[in-house]
Amino acid sequence: MTTSPNAGLIGRDGARQKLLTPSLLVDCETLDANLARMQAICEAAGVALRPHGKAHKCSMLARRQIEAGAVGICVATPGEAEAFANAGVGDLLLTSTFASPQAIERVVRICAGGVRLCCVVDHPDVVERIAAAARAKGITVPLLVDLDMGRKRAGVRGPDEAVLLARRILETAGVTMDGLQAYAGHLSHCVSYGERKAGAAEAVARIRAVIEALASELDYTPERVTGGSTGAFPLELAGGVYTEMQCGSYALMDTEYAAVDADGSGEPMFPPSLFVATSVTSANHPGLATADAGEKRLATKYGVPPRIARGAPDGATYRATSDEHGQITLPEGVSLSPGNLLELVVPHCDPTVNLYDHMHVVSGNRLIDIWPIDARGA
Amino acid sequence: MTTSPNAGLIGRDGARQKLLTPSLLVDCETLDANLARMQAICEAAGVALRPHGKAHKCSMLARRQIEAGAVGICVATPGEAEAFANAGVGDLLLTSTFASPQAIERVVRICAGGVRLCCVVDHPDVVERIAAAARAKGITVPLLVDLDMGRKRAGVRGPDEAVLLARRILETAGVTMDGLQAYAGHLSHCVSYGERKAGAAEAVARIRAVIEALASELDYTPERVTGGSTGAFPLELAGGVYTEMQCGSYALMDTEYAAVDADGSGEPMFPPSLFVATSVTSANHPGLATADAGEKRLATKYGVPPRIARGAPDGATYRATSDEHGQITLPEGVSLSPGNLLELVVPHCDPTVNLYDHMHVVSGNRLIDIWPIDARGA
C-alpha cells in the first residue's frame, strides 16, 4: 500500500479541486448519514447489521460502521478477512465458500490469531477439512450452513441437504454450528419492486422450510440467519426470518443501485457518497470531450453508465470507452476544455473501489483524510 | 505494495499447484519467447520497439523487455510514468494526453528527476502549460504531436491542426518537437484481416498526409513516428511510416487478442504466457461448478470469456458471473470437486493485471519469482 500522491493536501480547503485525477472521493457527511440510516432501520427491526466489507475493502470505513453500531463486518474472500483482521476488525463473517488446502490453512490461521471469523460451508468434505485444520491448531471454527437461494453459485439446495450438513457440523469436533446464511443475491438488483417483493416472499418461504426441517430432524434452531442486500433489505427485514443484515453498498452507493428503489417509494433510499474525480484530457471535437477515468477506474456490472455529478451541464453523459479514458457527450452549444474537472457517481461501487488504493475523504471542498483501501486486491 | 502471501513458495517445485487462489501466473519461457519474437520482427523491419507498459504495469517485466532489446517503455498515465521511473526505467513515452495543473506538475517533476519522459499533446494551451512548468524547473520536455486516427479520443484532427500545433511546439521554449504519435487503436481488435488491412492502409495515408504537410509548411521532418498494436503491427510495419512500435499485449496475451490473427495466418502469433489460477469453491449442481475468480479477478473488454487452459476437460467453459465468482459449465458426465484447481487464459490482459498486486513467475511447476505489479492502480 503506497502513500497517496495527494497526501500533502490533507486539511486544505479547496483540495477537492486539486487532487490528481482520477481519484476516489468519499463525501464524509453523506457517508455518515447513510451509515446512521441503515443502522437505525436495522435496530428498529431488531436485527443486527453486519455490513459487507467487499463493497469498500477499507478497514477505516469498517471501523466507522462498527462505531455506528454494526456488530461486525462481512468479507467475501480469505484475503479480505486477513486484511481486516490485520487492521484490528475482530468479528468477521466470510460469506463465500472456500475449499483449497491453502485457503483453509489461511482461514484457520486467522482464527487462531484470535479473531472471531465465522465461515460458510456447503459440502461435508469441506467441513471435515476445516475441522481437521482447526483441531490441528487446537481451535474451533464457527460455521454457517450456506443455503442456495436459486443462483446455483454456492449453498446447499434445500432442507434435506441442509439437515445432512448441519448434522455433520454438529457432530464434528473443531467446528461449531452457528446458523444459516441465506443471501438472495438475485434480488439485489431486481429493479421491479413487485418482482422483488414476490422474490423476497419466495426466499423467506425457502428459509422457513430449512428452519423447520432443522427443528424437526435435529431439534436444532439456528440462532443466526444472515443475508440481505442494499436492494432488497426492506423486504427481507419484513419477512421476519433474518437475524442479521449483510448490506454493503448502502454506504457508498452507485448508479446501478440508484436504479433500485429498495422501499418501493420510487426513490433510492441512500444518496451516493462515493465519486470519481476525473479531468478532461482532450477536447478537439464539438460536442465531445475525453477524460482520464476509463475502464481501469470505473467498473460496471450491469452496463449502467456513471452519472456526472459535477463539472458538466445537465444533459452531458459519460461513458468509460477504453481502459484509461472516458468519453463525455455534451449538449449542443456546450464545450469543455482540457484540464476541466468532473465528478462522477460510479456504476458499481464494489469493483470500482477495488481499482484504487485510497479513498479521499472530503467535507465540502476540504480533504479531511485519506483512507487506504487495504483489502484491495485481496 | 504488500508482500505476496505466496512468497514462501519461491524456489519450490510443485508451488504452481500450491498458490493461494486466485493468483496471477506468468509462464517464464513463453514470456521470453514472446519478447524475443516481437523484438526480432521489429529489428528485421528496422523499427524500434517500445512496448506498452499499461499491458503489464510491472517494472520487472519492463526491464526484461529492455534487456531483450526494447528502446524504452510506453506508459498510459502520469502515475505509471512515476512508478516506472521510480523503478529505474529511464526512457518513457506517456501515450495519453493530460492537461490538469496537478498532472502537468507531476509529469514535469518526473522529467526534472532525470528520466527521459516524452509526452504527447493535442492542444496549444496544453503545450504552453507544460512549457511554462518546464521553464520554471529549468528543463525541457520532449513532445510528440498526437494524431487522431479516427476514434475522436485524443489527437489533432488532420494536417492543418498538426502543422499549427507543431509550429507552436517548435516556437516555444521549454519543450522540443520530437515527432508524431499515431496510434490506430480502432485496428487493434479488428478481427477481420481484410478490414484490418484496409484500415491500416487508410491510417498510413493519414499519417503520410501529416508528414507531407509538416515538410511543406514547416520544413520539418519527424524523426519519430510511434504507434502500433499487437493486433495490427504486421500491417502497420508494412506501411513503412512508423519508426517505433508500441505493442504491449504480445508479452502476456489474452483470449481477446487470441481471436485476432495479426499476420493473417489464421493463428495468433503469440501464445498466452499469463494465467489466472483459480480453485473450485462449490459444486453442488450436476454439470456446474463455482470457482473463486470473478469479475474482480478477470477483466474483459469485448465480452470474450476466459479460456480454461488446465484443470477441466475439453468442452468445459468458464464465465466470471459475479464479483468474486465464476461459473464453470461442464460436459455431460464430468464433475469437479471443491478444492480442484484450474488455470485460465484471461479475457483482456491490461485491466486484468491491474486487479492484482503480484505476478507469480513459473517455470513448469516451479515458482521462480514474484514480481510486484508496481504501477497497478497508478
Side-chain angles (χ1 to χ4, degrees), chain B residues 123-154:
Chain B
H123 197 286
D125 290 356
V126 179
V127 172
E128 189 41 56
R129 289 180 217 163
I130 294 172
R135 290 192 302 265
K137 289 254 187 207
I139 62 164
T140 303
V141 175
L143 299 181
L144 303 176
V145 169
D146 193 23
L147 304 186
D148 184 349
M149 301 301 287
R151 289 208 290 181
K152 300 186 177 180
R153 184 173 85 179

Side-chain angles (χ1 to χ4, degrees), chain B residues 60-74:
Chain B
M60 294 287 281
L61 208 163
R63 285 162 178 281
R64 211 166 180 100
Q65 290 174 314
I66 291 167
E67 282 164 20
V71 296
I73 297 292
C74 293

Side-chain angles (χ1 to χ4, degrees), chain B residues 54-354:
Chain B
K54 77 187 172 89
H56 55 67
K57 287 181 171 269
C58 171
S59 63
M60 294 287 281
L61 208 163
R63 285 162 178 281
R64 211 166 180 100
Q65 290 174 314
I66 291 167
E67 282 164 20
V71 296
I73 297 292
C74 293
V75 293
T77 68
E80 286 180 3
E82 192 168 276
F84 282 115
N86 287 344
V89 180
D91 192 331
L92 297 167
L93 166 61
L94 174 49
T95 60
S96 302
T97 54
F98 56 94
S100 74
Q102 46 270 40
I104 290 171
E105 194 271 332
R106 188 181 205 184
V107 164
V108 170
R109 194 176 60 236
I110 297 167
C111 293
V115 169
R116 182 179 164 80
L117 171 58
C118 185
C119 300
V120 305
V121 286
D122 69 359
H123 197 286
D125 290 356
V126 179
V127 172
E128 189 41 56
R129 289 180 217 163
I130 294 172
R135 290 192 302 265
K137 289 254 187 207
I139 62 164
T140 303
V141 175
L143 299 181
L144 303 176
V145 169
D146 193 23
L147 304 186
D148 184 349
M149 301 301 287
R151 289 208 290 181
K152 300 186 177 180
R153 184 173 85 179
V156 297
R157 287 175 291 181
D160 293 351
E161 286 184 9
V163 166
L164 280 174
L165 194 63
R167 179 179 287 132
R168 176 67 72 100
I169 297 169
L170 289 163
E171 290 173 352
T172 302
V175 292
T176 58
M177 174 68 186
D178 261 33
L180 302 175
Q181 172 172 270
Y183 176 63
H186 59 295
L187 301 179
S188 69
H189 287 80
C190 174
V191 172
S192 153
Y193 185 74
E195 276 178 42
R196 208 176 333 122
K197 192 170 179 180
E202 200 184 315
V204 165
R206 194 186 276 251
I207 299 166
R208 281 198 198 285
V210 169
I211 292 173
E212 282 160 19
L214 292 172
S216 65
E217 299 290 321
L218 302 176
D219 196 22
Y220 171 81
T221 304
E223 276 183 38
R224 184 171 174 190
V225 181
T226 183
S229 66
T230 294
F233 79 94
L235 295 164
E236 289 165 323
L237 284 175
V241 294
Y242 286 103
T243 68
E244 183 178 279
M245 286 284 108
Q246 300 184 353
C247 316
S249 298
Y250 74 96
L252 299 173
M253 285 299 290
D254 52 42
T255 59
E256 294 184 344
Y257 259 129
V260 181
D261 63 326
D263 59 0
S265 67
E267 292 293 326
M269 295 179 70
F270 301 92
S273 66
L274 184 74
F275 303 92
V276 165
T278 182
S279 63
V280 174
T281 55
S282 287
N284 282 341
H285 291 271
L288 295 176
T290 301
D292 61 5
E295 291 172 344
K296 285 183 183 169
R297 296 301 193 164
L298 291 164
T300 175
K301 189 176 179 71
Y302 301 98
V304 178
R307 178 170 68 75
I308 301 174
R310 274 170 285 277
D314 283 352
T317 62
Y318 195 102
R319 277 191 322 124
T321 44
S322 56
D323 281 349
E324 284 85 9
H325 295 97
Q327 190 174 64
I328 305 160
T329 307
L330 294 160
E332 213 176 309
V334 176
S335 64
L336 291 174
S337 299
N340 284 173
L341 292 173
L342 295 92
E343 290 182 12
L344 310 174
V345 180
V346 310
H348 199 68
C349 62
D350 306 43
T352 296
V353 165
N354 188 46

